[in-house]
Amino acid sequence: MSTSSMDDTTAEAIEDLPPSAKLVAKVLEHNDTLTQSELADETLLPARTVRYALTRLEEANAITARFSFTDARKQVYSLK
């Protein structure tokens, strides 16, 4: 678990996003990388809401997604 803080560019990118996207970004701020299901568990949000939040964060260019090394069917997300 990492406790890196969000940089100003990322903070500005998520400023106008919905609360669910801000929550997902905050959880990613305190964890290096998480899968979609791990984000749903951590945030207690429904999977559909997490997918929407991740889409909005990707559109804002605030997160990066890459395939998981342990399971290529899954993607892991992290803050930029």
Side-chain angles (χ1 to χ4, degrees):
M1 180 147 58
S2 173
T3 56
S4 64
S5 67
M6 200 178 304
D7 67 4
D8 291 338
T9 307
T10 304
E12 287 176 16
I14 67 167
E15 189 174 311
D16 295 328
L17 294 181
S20 59
K22 291 177 182 176
L23 176 60
V24 168
K26 197 61 158 169
V27 169
L28 285 173
E29 181 179 8
H30 294 287
N31 296 278
D32 288 333
T33 57
L34 291 174
T35 64
Q36 183 178 324
S37 60
E38 290 170 336
L39 281 165
D41 291 342
E42 288 287 323
T43 60
L44 302 177
L45 293 171
R48 184 175 179 172
T49 304
V50 171
R51 279 193 305 273
Y52 175 73
L54 289 170
T55 300
R56 296 295 305 268
L57 287 165
E58 284 181 307
E59 289 170 353
N61 204 27
I63 62 171
T64 58
R66 64 173 173 76
F67 288 103
S68 172
F69 293 122
T70 57
D71 187 350
R73 297 171 296 175
K74 295 181 180 181
Q75 288 191 328
V76 291
Y77 301 91
S78 59
L79 281 179
K80 283 193 172 180

